Amino acid sequence: MPRALISVSDKRGAVEFARALVAAGWEIISTGGTAHALQKEGVQVTPIEAVTGFPEIMNGRVKTLHPAVHGGILARRGDAAHLRELAAHGFAPIDLVAVNLYPFRETIARPDVTIDEAIEQIDIGGPSMLRSAAKNHESVIVVVDPSDYRRVAEALQHGGVTSQLRRELAAKAFTHTAAYDGAIASYLAQGTGGQLPPTLVLVLEQRQSLRYGENPGQRAAFYVTGEVGGMGAMNQLGGKELSFNNILDIDAAVLALGPFEREVCCAIIKHTTPCGIAVGRNAVEAYQRALRTDPVSAFGSVVGFNTVVTAETARAMADLFVECVVAPRFQPEAVQVLAQKKNLRIVEVPRPDPGALDFKRVQGGFLAQDPLRFNAAEDAWTVPTKRKPTDDEMTDLRFAWAAVLSVKSNAILLAKDRAAIGIGAGQMSRVDSSMLAVHKARQAGHDPAGSVLASDAFFPFRDGVDAAAQAGVSAIIQPGGSVRDAEVVAAADEHGIAMVMTGVRQFRH
């Protein structure tokens, strides 16, 4: 009788898979909580201690690290000496290993997790069994992903699991353990003097194949790292297949909405940078105000919300051609309304893992950095100008400073009443971005007079301030730190502009 060892943290589908194996004449060996779950559902189980002749000890820390287990998995079926040794020790082959690992990444994603809690979620026996089974995959079927249970069960019912499928499952097992070990190494390295780890394990799993990349003729696919939340947990509820550029813009929308945790915000993304962003009393108002930033550029955009999308919000977007709508959640009625546009992609994206590194690809390697996080603290803010901002100006400056974070540099954002009215992005000089933001505001019918301006990095010269003053900007927020700060402040004083320096740069190349 063939034997299967099932020991899973993620128990989705485990009972059904075990039943299918039993119906096919397999014996089920199991451990701890998995054995209890299977027995509770009426599945006959051989406890692991009956196989090893040794009880689980140390609260389950040691249960499968035994030659009866690893000998049964690693024995080469075509090697008579291996089989004689198994028999001599009273062991028997194990022909299938279905294991997934303790939820380490899910545990460390909790903001309140302690180091002791994290350490207890480092699986030892699980990876060992997976690696043993994957090494001997010609003889042992290894299943790490619950989504593979059905096709393995069906293959066993129709002549057996092919060599090709065995190898595919083995590759998936090694990928899984590599990613798991990489997550542990990265977590532990966070406590070693604040340095990034000397070696990074970057394991990417293909989530979906894409029709093409940024242009036709470029092959493309979407790969995920296995981090908790963020783009790897993206769920498409409807619409046409996502494109390469759609995914880039969805990611940009998540970044743009990040600073607005306590307010309802809408960000309209075009070519990975906002062309509209605003807050409102509800999602409809936030959308309408964001759309007014630049309604021309909003055509063919990605619209993101940081709140639940209702049917009312969905109907408000009826007249605009949109590629994707992104939110943490959609009401079913909203999905029905949006689905009337058959090609419109409807995508749920949870908040990203705040501890994940940000990677940028260069030829022959990767750059790695901490993700850009918005810092709302105002302790280090200073006002070097003669005039101080009014209360209303400070309200808009706070909004503008949060909104400019996701704009590509050189980034300039004009705001009024906590809505962007003009955005200058991606220019080779900051004064060009200042003039472009003013131009975009006027083009959309906004009067820049009385607006506030946010700059993601310092003004290297006074010309950007002069351009803002000429348009009637009343207050500016910027990091400061230029060798010409005194010259820039003097320019602001000449024009009667209030200026806040945050001491923090928010530059995105």
Side-chain angles (χ1 to χ4, degrees):
M1 175 185 291
R3 301 196 304 168
L5 194 159
I6 302 178
S7 179
V8 291
S9 174
D10 180 355
K11 295 178 174 55
R12 291 175 298 144
V15 171
E16 293 77 9
F17 185 46
R19 284 176 176 159
L21 292 174
V22 169
W26 286 63
E27 176 188 356
I28 305 298
I29 304 165
S30 193
T31 64
T34 305
H36 177 74
L38 296 178
Q39 289 167 337
K40 185 179 178 181
E41 297 297 326
V43 178
Q44 186 173 350
V45 170
T46 300
I48 193 68
E49 53 264 34
V51 174
T52 62
F54 199 89
E56 296 186 20
I57 61 173
M58 302 176 187
N59 297 321
R61 274 193 168 199
V62 179
K63 52 180 178 275
T64 59
L65 297 173
H66 193 281
V69 174
H70 288 276
I73 296 171
L74 282 165
R76 298 181 65 177
R77 301 328 190 241
D79 189 321
H82 281 202
L83 298 179
R84 282 197 302 270
E85 285 187 68
L86 272 186
H89 292 287
F91 303 154
I94 295 172
D95 306 292
L96 184 148
V97 172
V99 169
N100 52 58
L101 308 178
Y102 295 168
F104 180 81
R105 282 172 291 194
E106 292 81 357
T107 299
I108 62 173
R110 292 185 1 235
D112 60 341
V113 68
T114 66
I115 182 67
D116 289 341
E117 289 172 325
I119 292 296
E120 283 308 306
Q121 293 303 320
I122 297 177
D123 201 329
I124 302 301
S128 299
M129 289 188 291
L130 286 175
R131 290 175 60 83
S132 294
K135 176 176 180 176
N136 201 24
H137 63 270
E138 291 181 357
S139 301
V140 182
I141 304 162
V142 57
V143 190
V144 70
D145 184 351
S147 66
D148 290 321
Y149 291 159
R150 174 174 290 183
R151 61 177 180 157
V152 170
E154 290 176 351
L156 290 171
Q157 292 169 2
H158 297 90
V161 179
T162 65
S163 295
Q164 181 179 347
L165 179 54
R166 286 171 180 267
R167 184 167 178 169
E168 178 186 336
L169 295 171
K172 184 177 283 191
F174 279 119
T175 299
H176 187 72
T177 58
Y180 192 79
D181 287 342
I184 295 167
S186 296
Y187 174 77
L188 294 177
Q190 292 174 10
T192 55
Q195 300 296 313
L196 292 179
T199 301
L200 287 172
V201 180
L202 186 60
V203 179
L204 305 176
E205 178 183 351
Q206 187 178 128
R207 175 60 54 84
Q208 67 186 90
S209 178
L210 304 173
R211 287 184 299 162
Y212 53 82
E214 289 178 294
N215 301 286
Q218 292 177 269
R219 294 182 303 164
F222 176 41
Y223 291 82
V224 298
T225 60
E227 292 158 3
V228 177
M231 297 296 291
M234 179 174 62
N235 180 30
Q236 185 172 356
L237 303 181
K240 193 175 178 180
E241 178 187 2
L242 289 168
S243 73
F244 187 96
N245 292 334
N246 289 154
I247 294 172
L248 287 172
D249 284 338
I250 290 169
D251 185 58
V254 173
L255 175 67
L257 296 165
F260 299 95
E261 294 183 353
R262 299 180 182 179
E263 298 177 282
V264 176
C265 182
C266 174
I268 302 176
I269 305 297
K270 198 70 176 287
H271 302 166
T272 72
T273 202
C275 64
I277 186 167
V279 297
R281 290 169 297 182
N282 52 53
V284 172
E285 182 181 73
Y287 164 72
Q288 291 170 339
R289 301 185 77 224
L291 180 62
R292 285 198 290 270
T293 303
D294 186 355
V296 173
S297 296
F299 181 85
S301 62
V302 166
V303 179
F305 296 90
N306 66 346
T307 188
V308 178
V309 172
T310 64
E312 181 185 10
T313 310
R315 283 191 287 269
M317 292 183 280
D319 295 335
L320 179 66
F321 168 63
V322 175
E323 291 275 357
C324 309
V325 181
V326 186
R329 192 166 67 84
F330 291 79
Q331 289 184 348
E333 297 82 3
V335 175
Q336 293 175 3
V337 173
L338 294 170
Q340 294 174 17
K341 297 182 177 182
K342 65 178 183 178
N343 290 332
L344 175 62
R345 291 94 165 172
I346 308 164
V347 182
E348 288 182 339
V349 181
R351 290 186 64 83
D353 178 358
L357 288 175
D358 177 31
F359 293 97
K360 297 191 185 299
R361 180 78 168 96
V362 294
Q363 296 180 58
F366 286 87
L367 295 169
Q369 62 178 353
D370 292 324
L372 180 61
R373 300 186 185 95
F374 179 68
N375 182 3
E378 300 179 12
D379 306 12
W381 290 16
T382 60
V383 180
T385 49
K386 295 176 182 177
R387 189 173 77 79
K388 309 303 179 188
T390 66
D391 290 345
D392 287 343
E393 285 173 336
M394 277 304 302
T395 297
D396 277 347
L397 287 169
R398 290 186 182 100
F399 165 81
W401 184 239
V404 80
L405 172 129
S406 57
V407 179
K408 291 289 185 71
S409 284
N410 290 309
I412 296 291
L413 183 141
L414 302 179
K416 267 187 183 180
D417 300 324
R418 297 194 304 161
I421 63 167
I423 299 173
Q427 301 305 301
M428 283 65 74
S429 72
R430 197 157 296 274
V431 66
D432 286 345
S433 289
S434 296
M435 291 187 293
L436 178 59
V438 171
H439 168 73
K440 296 294 285 185
R442 288 173 172 157
Q443 187 181 52
H446 301 292
D447 182 0
S451 66
V452 305
L453 179 152
S455 174
D456 65 336
F458 62 63
F459 287 92
F461 304 100
R462 64 170 288 164
D463 51 6
V465 176
D466 292 333
Q470 191 173 10
V473 168
S474 67
I476 291 173
I477 188 166
Q478 58 123 335
S482 168
V483 295
R484 292 186 175 86
D485 273 351
E487 176 184 321
V488 170
V489 171
D493 283 337
E494 285 178 28
H495 298 298
I497 292 175
M499 180 176 288
V500 174
M501 289 187 177
T502 66
V504 177
R505 193 174 81 161
Q506 299 187 143
F507 185 91
R508 291 183 65 225
H509 208 337

